[in-house]
């Protein structure tokens, strides 16, 4: 959890906006540090977290989580965290002879069919009554996905992914008043932007989201003290449409990340 | 023109937006305006919940509003919706509208057309729209389209079908947005206008022709008043006599008739060549090249 990011977004684990769809995207940079931030943020807030980790193993997140002060293994044991390890479970789907439509990773066998199976998994996970081992009840459900653009390279169409996120938003955000954080990685913009690709997916998700965080390298090039810039775009909140954008610079440390306004890096001042 | 389109209605009105600026607020204004006119409004909501599209209505308007729940289940995965995207055909929609009692001039609002285009073939979709327009049951169709989620060609096709296209974009001023309205009348005349607008919390639309920025106007006046021929150490102005003399000067390459004929007439004593041979020149009439030492 990064305290400076909390103050920029005006949220703390004790008080944060519900029914929020937060989109994290990057272009030629790595925004996964924001996923680690949100993971530790929501676990500390006591929410029931459903994490679709499609690109990394559980031990990776667990190791980073420990540096940020949360224990993922403990949260999983208590029932607060449900982790779908995409890399490990994909073997099971590919090596089986029969596959059902409702398996979560059924898109690996038939990518054209869509992501209904994955949605059913998410739905069953967030609708479970939040009873931990000690009988504690968790807060509103949270869905974290890292990352969604990898599904494009597995053959799933952009339309199917947008339908899946629409359903997740309807269930998690609108109905259950929970939050959703999705990471999407974009490629370079090129002339054929009409074609199906990660840029089209990112645009479709920006239309749906409430808050968009976009991470890029500095436009002027590499810098040792500033790792990149992050654009915060407040889109809408219920009926009101904000459309307010701000850019911050950031630097990622061993145990966190610091954010500052442009031109106020500690190396400069 | 935006307010006229909103208050008159009729035909197929397309609201085009992009990630930079959303047109859903404008869609809400259109719905409110149609309800105030006493028309029946049918909303096919696939992308946003009822609360977002139809908030802030009084009780008499609510009776005439029929929200067909696509959201939260637009594809029928959880069997909770009353109208899925697949049922977007002219038969189903016409049936839906005829089912409402005392149906007067009906307005069909689709939120959004992008969702429908994702699941239907563009050609079939256009046919459906055309059938709905000519069907006679629906007076106005209002659709929201996200122009940056489709190929240029498809956006062009839908714009071509529409009687009025309103594209929204962000303006420099954060509180305002720009709406470019293109309206085609039945006679084929096309009218375009660009206006600044803002939508309030209770879906009231306020339109301005230009944003009020007093600084700009003053700057323009200053520029026109400066006179470059004043405050110089030399004189750049002409007196009356000097101006008349200047206008009388014949320019060198402008030929009048007199000058042309003077040039063409041969004058005596001009243009003759006189040649006196030198001592070294051995002029041989038969072979002029004989004096060359080759």
């Amino acid at each position: 959890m990064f305290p400076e990011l909390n103050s920029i977004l005006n949220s703390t684990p004790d008080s944060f906006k519900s029914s929020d769809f937060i989109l994290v995207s990057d272009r030629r940079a790595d925004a996964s540090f924001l996923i680690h931030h949100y993971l530790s943020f929501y676990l500390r807030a006591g929410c029931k977290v459903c994490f679709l980790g499609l690109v990394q193993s559980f031990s990776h997140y667990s190791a980073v989580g420990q540096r940020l002060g949360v224990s993922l293994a403990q949260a999983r044991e208590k029932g607060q965290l449900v982790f779908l390890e995409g890399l490990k479970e994909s073997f099971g789907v590919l090596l089986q002879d029969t596959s059902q439509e409702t398996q979560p990773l059924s898109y690996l066998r038939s990518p054209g069919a869509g992501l209904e199976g994955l949605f059913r998994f998410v739905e069953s996970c967030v609708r479970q009554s939040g009873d931990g081992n000690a009988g504690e009840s968790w807060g509103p459900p949270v869905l974290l996905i890292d990352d969604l653009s990898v599904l494009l390279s597995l053959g799933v169409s952009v339309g199917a992914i947008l339908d899946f996120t629409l359903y997740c938003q309807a269930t998690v955000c609108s109905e259950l008043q929970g939050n959703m954080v999705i990471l999407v990685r974009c490629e370079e913009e090129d002339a054929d932007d009409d074609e199906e690709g990660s840029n089209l997916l990112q645009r479709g998700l920006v239309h749906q989201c409430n808050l968009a965080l976009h991470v890029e390298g500095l436009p002027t090039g590499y810098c040792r003290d500033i790792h990149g810039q992050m654009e915060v775009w407040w889109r809408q909140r219920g009926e009101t449409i904000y459309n307010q954008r701000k850019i911050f610079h950031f630097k990622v440390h061993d145990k966190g990340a610091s954010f500052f306004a442009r031109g106020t890096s500690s190396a400069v001042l | 023109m935006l307010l006229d389109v909103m208050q008159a209605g009729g035909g197929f009105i397309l609201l085009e937006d992009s990630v930079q600026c959303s047109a859903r607020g404008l869609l809400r204004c259109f719905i409110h305006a149609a309800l105030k006119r006493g028309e029946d409004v049918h909303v096919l909501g696939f992308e946003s919940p009822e609360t977002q599209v139809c908030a802030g209505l009084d009780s008499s308007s609510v009776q005439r509003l029929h929200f067909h729940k696509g959201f939260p289940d637009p594809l029928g995965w959880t069997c909770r919706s009353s109208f899925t995207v697949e049922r977007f055909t002219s038969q189903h929609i016409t049936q839906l509208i005829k089912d409402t009692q005392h149906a007067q001039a009906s307005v069909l609002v689709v939120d959004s057309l992008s969702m429908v285009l994702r699941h239907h073939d563009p050609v079939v979709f256009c046919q459906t729209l055309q059938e709905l327009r000519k069907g006679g049951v629906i007076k106005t169709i209002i659709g929201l389209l996200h122009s940056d989620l489709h190929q240029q060609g498809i956006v062009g096709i839908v714009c071509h079908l529409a009687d009025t296209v309103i594209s929204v974009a962000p303006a420099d001023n954060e509180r305002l947005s720009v709406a470019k309205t293109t309206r085609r009348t039945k006679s084929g005349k096309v009218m375009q206008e660009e206006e600044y607008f803002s939508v309030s919390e209770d879906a009231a639309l306020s339109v301005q022709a230009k944003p009020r920025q007093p600084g700009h106007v003053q700057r323009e006046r200053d520029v026109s008043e400066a006179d470059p021929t004043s405050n110089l150490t030399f004189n750049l102005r002409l007196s009356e006599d000097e101006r008349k003399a200047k206008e009388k000067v014949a320019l060198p390459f402008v030929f009048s008739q007199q000058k042309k004929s003077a040039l063409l007439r041969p004058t005596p004593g001009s243009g003759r060549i006189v040649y006196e041979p030198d001592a070294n020149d051995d002029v041989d009439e038969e072979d002029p090249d004989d004096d060359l030492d080759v």
Side-chain angles (χ1 to χ4, degrees), chain A residues 1-2 4-6 8-9 22-26 29-42 51 61 64 68 144-146 181-184 211-216 229-232 250 252 256-259:
Chain A
M1 193 180 74
F2 309 145
E4 276 156 349
L5 184 57
N6 286 343
I8 289 173
L9 299 176
I22 300 168
L23 177 72
V24 178
S25 57
D26 63 27
D30 192 2
S32 43
F33 67 97
L34 291 171
I35 289 286
H36 296 297
H37 156 80
Y38 276 112
L39 185 57
S40 56
F41 181 94
Y42 286 117
F51 191 166
Y61 296 108
V64 179
L68 294 177
L144 280 171
I145 305 184
D146 175 19
V181 181
I182 293 187
L183 173 63
V184 165
L211 175 68
L213 304 174
H214 185 68
V215 172
E216 266 185 347
Q229 72 182 27
M230 180 181 77
E231 186 200 46
V232 183
F250 67 88
V252 180
S258 53
F259 295 82

Side-chain angles (χ1 to χ4, degrees), chain B residues 83 87-98 128 131-132:
Chain B
F83 195 86
R87 297 183 66 208
F88 190 88
T89 59
S90 52
Q91 297 104 308
H92 282 130
I93 295 177
T94 318
Q95 192 58 47
L96 199 69
I97 293 184
K98 282 191 182 149
T128 307
E131 280 163 18
L132 288 172

Side-chain angles (χ1 to χ4, degrees), chain B residues 60-268:
Chain B
S60 61
S61 305
V62 167
Q63 279 172 7
R64 272 173 278 121
L65 175 72
H66 310 275
F67 190 90
H68 303 284
K69 277 178 114 163
F71 191 92
D73 185 23
L75 301 174
W77 286 356
T78 54
C79 307
R80 276 189 303 162
S81 81
S82 60
F83 195 86
T84 59
V85 172
E86 271 145 13
R87 297 183 66 208
F88 190 88
T89 59
S90 52
Q91 297 104 308
H92 282 130
I93 295 177
T94 318
Q95 192 58 47
L96 199 69
I97 293 184
K98 282 191 182 149
D99 283 342
T100 51
Q101 297 163 347
H102 317 295
Q104 290 160 39
S106 299
V107 177
L108 177 71
V109 176
V110 188
D111 174 19
S112 68
L113 290 174
S114 293
M115 183 75 182
V116 180
L117 268 173
R118 234 168 37 217
H119 293 274
H120 284 260
D121 182 43
V123 175
V124 174
F125 169 76
C126 291
Q127 280 173 348
T128 307
L129 271 183
Q130 195 67 358
E131 280 163 18
L132 288 172
R133 274 178 72 201
K134 306 289 181 196
V137 179
I138 303 173
K139 181 192 162 203
T140 315
I141 305 177
I142 307 175
L144 177 64
L145 184 73
H146 305 301
S147 60
D148 49 4
L149 294 186
H150 305 279
Q151 291 179 352
Q152 289 266 5
I154 295 188
V155 175
I157 291 172
V158 184
C159 287
H160 201 71
L161 278 178
D163 297 307
T164 313
V165 178
I166 303 172
S167 343
V168 295
D172 294 329
N173 194 334
E174 246 181 39
R175 287 174 297 112
L176 298 175
S177 313
V178 179
K180 194 163 145 193
T181 315
T182 308
R183 197 174 184 184
R184 275 188 306 159
T185 57
K186 287 214 176 82
S187 58
K189 182 177 168 193
V190 176
M191 295 180 287
Q192 273 192 345
E193 199 175 334
E194 213 171 278
E195 287 153 300
Y196 289 82
F197 73 95
S198 67
V199 177
S200 69
E201 290 273 338
D202 54 350
L205 181 68
S206 64
V207 175
Q208 290 172 289
K210 239 193 249 180
R212 277 174 257 122
Q213 283 174 351
H216 278 209
V217 179
Q218 273 173 10
R219 232 173 281 146
E220 273 175 18
R221 249 184 267 139
D222 285 338
V223 168
S224 60
E225 275 173 16
D227 185 16
T229 55
S230 59
N231 301 331
L232 294 170
T233 54
F234 45 91
N235 182 24
L236 277 181
R237 299 206 182 95
L238 297 171
S239 67
E240 270 305 309
D241 296 334
E242 284 169 343
R243 197 174 293 131
K244 278 185 200 157
K246 180 183 156 195
E247 275 161 23
K248 276 201 191 131
V249 167
L251 294 171
F253 294 103
V254 174
F255 286 158
S256 63
Q257 202 50 33
Q258 285 171 323
K259 207 167 174 187
K260 258 194 228 170
S261 43
L263 285 170
L264 290 171
R265 217 183 303 130
T267 52

Side-chain angles (χ1 to χ4, degrees), chain A residues 47-52 79-80 82 118-131 138-144 167-173 175-180:
Chain A
C47 299
K48 175 109 193 272
V49 177
C50 173
F51 191 166
L52 304 183
Q80 190 189 6
V82 175
L118 194 59
F119 168 67
R120 297 230 182 267
F121 171 80
V122 168
E123 199 190 0
S124 65
C125 169
V126 290
R127 277 197 204 280
Q128 262 170 18
S129 56
D131 284 340
W138 308 115
V142 171
L143 173 66
L144 280 171
Y167 266 85
C168 289
Q169 188 183 17
T171 310
V172 176
C173 298
E175 197 186 319
L176 299 172
Q177 309 286 314
N179 288 8
M180 220 160 93

